Each structure stands twice: as structure tokens, then as C-alpha cells.
Amino acid sequence: KTISYVPQQVYVSDDSIKNNIAFGLDEEQIDFDAVERAAKVANIHDFIVNEMSNGYETKVGERGIRLSGGQRQRIGIARAIYFNPDVLVLDEATSALDNITERMVMEDLKNLNNRMTIIIIAHRLNTVRQCDEIHVLKDGKITDSGSYNFLNQNNDYFKEMTKNIN
């Protein structure tokens, strides 16, 4: 109950968006205000209320067939946030998002940082740009740690990886 994990491929059941965000809870246990707050942080609330025929009650189809990969990932992020964990682990959880949506989600997640520890696993370095501490893995070993700016100034391997995004 203290750790939430969002994988790259999020499981979505053939149920409503609301029930997928509050996954595993009985209908009477769901706090709709918390569902909405989580959806706003995951940057999917506007899509749900403006694009889905029945809003949060819209059925998403088997394995979320009515949603794009990025929308499924944002449902997974909202699910993790809904349960208000102490630790949130994002394992390539924003990889299917376009750059603008990812930036908005990361900004909203940054605002949660004082309430939870967020661990981000990512290949896309813009995803971790605002992290307090980055651990560089090379050949399965941590080779360096520090802020984005520190690593970009002092680690040749990290500099090489960031060349294409700076």
C-alpha cells in the first residue's frame, strides 16, 4: 500500500475509466474526487470529460482497446497516484507520450514530490531532467550519480547521451 508501480505496458480492464483508475476497489469504496485529482495530475482529465462519451463512466474495452498507448499509460499513472503511495516507481511510464504531454505530466508529478518519493526509470533523458538525483547505468552498473547539470558537465558518457536533446 505504500508503493505504486507504473510499468511501460499498463494493464487496463474492460471496465469504466473510473474503475480502472481506482482499480481493485468496489464501486462504493471509490472516492470520485480522488479519481479526478489523479486524472488531472496524469494529464488525462480533460480528455476524459471532453472526448469520452460517458466521461469517467466510459467503458474502455478489452485491454483498453478504445484508448491509445499514451492514454493507457496516463490511466496507469492516475491509478498509481490515486492510491497516494509514499513511493511512486515509473518504469518507462511516459515512453508512449508525446513530448508536450510528457512535459505536462512530469511538471504535475514534480508538484507531488513533497508528498512522495518518485523513482523514474527512463531512456529518454528529458524525462529525468528535473530529478534531484540521477544514477547513470552503463553495462548494468551505476557509473555516476548527480543532478542533470552536474552529469552533463562532468560525465562524458552522459554528455554523449544528451547531445541529441540539448
Side-chain angles (χ1 to χ4, degrees):
K1 291 185 179 186
T2 62
I3 299 174
S4 284
Y5 171 73
V6 183
Q8 185 173 5
Q9 298 293 326
V10 173
Y11 171 77
V12 179
S13 68
D14 185 11
D15 206 339
S16 68
I17 293 172
K18 176 185 70 179
N19 290 349
N20 269 289
I21 291 173
F23 189 75
L25 296 179
D26 292 330
E27 194 78 30
E28 63 275 359
Q29 295 175 300
I30 296 174
D31 176 350
F32 185 73
D33 290 336
V35 168
E36 248 185 353
R37 273 192 306 276
K40 286 177 182 175
V41 171
N43 205 274
I44 195 161
H45 171 76
D46 290 344
F47 167 77
I48 294 168
V49 297
N50 296 324
E51 306 289 329
M52 301 306 283
S53 58
N54 293 317
Y56 282 89
E57 296 301 328
T58 304
K59 303 281 189 204
V60 297
E62 190 170 332
R63 290 179 282 140
I65 195 77
R66 296 184 62 207
L67 302 172
S68 71
Q71 291 159 349
R72 282 191 298 275
Q73 280 188 317
R74 286 183 281 162
I75 293 287
I77 293 167
R79 178 186 299 158
I81 293 165
Y82 174 84
F83 289 99
N84 198 28
D86 295 328
V87 178
L88 174 61
V89 179
L90 303 173
D91 187 357
E92 294 286 352
T94 61
S95 64
L97 304 181
D98 62 76
N99 289 333
I100 293 168
T101 303
E102 180 185 39
R103 199 170 339 165
M104 290 187 296
V105 169
M106 295 309 294
E107 188 63 33
D108 287 337
L109 286 172
K110 185 175 144 185
N111 294 331
L112 294 176
N113 199 28
N114 62 346
R115 296 193 333 233
M116 66 183 68
T117 299
I118 302 172
I119 299 169
I120 301 172
I121 301 159
H123 286 91
R124 200 182 318 168
L125 293 179
N126 275 334
T127 305
V128 298
R129 189 175 221 128
Q130 298 300 317
C131 290
D132 296 328
E133 187 165 344
I134 300 168
H135 300 285
V136 179
L137 291 172
K138 185 177 179 186
D139 300 324
K141 295 185 172 125
I142 295 176
T143 60
D144 208 349
S145 297
S147 70
Y148 185 93
N149 289 334
F150 171 83
L151 292 168
N152 205 28
Q153 292 171 2
N154 299 296
N155 184 294
D156 290 335
Y157 178 67
F158 191 83
K159 271 192 248 187
E160 186 62 34
M161 292 188 310
T162 62
K163 260 186 192 172
N164 296 328
I165 62 168
N166 288 329

